[in-house]
Amino acid sequence: QVQLQESGPGLVKPSETLSLTCTVSGDSISTYYWNWIRQPPGKGLEWIGYIYYSGRTNYNPSLKSRVTISIDTSKNQFSLELSSVTAADTAFYYCARGLRDSGTYYTRTFDCWGQGTLVTVSS
Amino acid sequence: QSALTQPPSASGSPGQSVTISCTGTSSDVGGYNSVSWYQHHPGKAPKLMIYEVFKRPSGVPDRFSGSKSGNTASLTVSGLQAGDEADYYCSSYAGSNSLVFGGGTKLTVL
């Protein structure tokens, strides 16, 4: 059974870059779309972006200028970098797999998630 | 403020049915059949319950069903069980490469 686990610093200073890694176990990363989603405490979810194993990416237009998602198929990991962070970027960050059903990719539907990691932006 | 509107709370007794609504606009819920629902027990990984408005992933009980009318999608949970108590979120494709979520509904089993 596939499992996803987020890792990275829980505290980032304002104006710096937030970096997180998602490790995928139980399945090859070289098949699906892989996503990052976040949820500020007490608020709703926000899709950040996805990467396909080929390296093709797609980002939320509202975050596109600050987001980079990369993938390392040899390690079965993908990563998120969010630059120039502010307190508004404080959130639980989740990695998630895009659904594939009967050969169809649903890039906006997530069938497997990590437990999430809280990243706080503060000096 | 979330793009899709969900009631903050819903409740029902064991065995009863409860319906959670998710209201958007013609630019998201009303314009695409790409509505999903997620169950989230705090501290755990969210779980996909419904996708493409009414489809259930394998392993999700048929007590969970989805529908849509106009700009409002709905998740119905029948035969409520204690384990159904969780937060539920809807999402919808909104065109132009965007995805929007609801603010979440806390379902309480009385």
Side-chain angles (χ1 to χ4, degrees):
Chain A
Q1 183 171 346
V2 62
Q3 291 188 318
L4 285 70
Q5 180 66 58
E6 306 88 352
S7 60
L11 181 64
V12 181
K13 289 183 168 56
S15 80
E16 295 190 345
T17 296
L18 178 160
S19 297
L20 295 173
T21 295
C22 181
T23 301
V24 180
S25 59
D27 198 0
S28 171
I29 202 171
S30 298
T31 310
Y32 296 88
Y33 287 82
W34 302 95
N35 296 263
W36 287 98
I37 297 154
R38 69 180 183 177
Q39 183 177 30
K43 297 186 179 181
L45 293 158
E46 180 179 35
W47 173 73
I48 299 171
Y50 71 61
I51 188 165
Y52 191 47
Y53 76 94
S54 64
R56 182 166 72 89
T57 56
N58 207 347
Y59 302 135
N60 185 328
S62 69
L63 297 169
K64 187 175 182 178
S65 63
R66 299 194 292 131
V67 172
T68 301
I69 299 177
S70 58
I71 194 165
D72 187 336
T73 55
S74 68
K75 295 182 179 179
N76 238 37
Q77 294 176 333
F78 64 106
S79 298
L80 167 70
E81 288 192 340
L82 181 65
S83 64
S84 304
V85 297
T86 69
D89 295 310
T90 293
F92 289 93
Y93 285 77
Y94 297 92
C95 56
R97 186 180 74 176
L99 173 70
R100 187 183 69 171
D101 181 27
S102 300
T104 298
Y105 288 98
Y106 297 88
T107 58
R108 301 295 192 276
T109 301
F110 317 113
D111 69 336
C112 191
W113 297 59
Q115 290 191 324
T117 186
L118 176 62
V119 179
T120 301
V121 178
S122 175
S123 56
Chain B
Q1 188 171 0
S2 299
L4 303 180
T5 301
Q6 296 181 236
S9 64
S11 63
S13 300
Q16 288 186 334
S17 294
V18 65
T19 297
I20 299 171
S21 62
C22 171
T23 301
T25 69
S26 58
S27 296
D28 38 64
V29 174
Y32 304 93
N33 287 325
S34 186
V35 176
S36 300
W37 289 91
Y38 300 91
Q39 177 190 68
H40 188 204
H41 291 101
K44 296 191 175 182
K47 179 182 179 181
L48 176 66
M49 307 303 285
I50 296 288
Y51 67 103
E52 299 292 286
V53 178
F54 61 87
K55 296 179 180 179
R56 269 189 311 276
S58 61
V60 173
D62 58 7
R63 300 187 297 106
F64 291 85
S65 62
S67 63
K68 188 183 84 167
S69 177
N71 297 334
T72 298
S74 299
L75 172 72
T76 298
V77 185
S78 306
L80 272 176
Q81 299 178 1
D84 298 333
E85 186 162 297
D87 297 322
Y88 290 85
Y89 294 90
C90 62
S91 71
S92 173
Y93 182 65
S96 301
N97 190 34
S98 63
L99 176 72
V100 290
F101 285 92
T105 298
K106 182 176 179 60
L107 175 61
T108 301
V109 180
L110 301 171

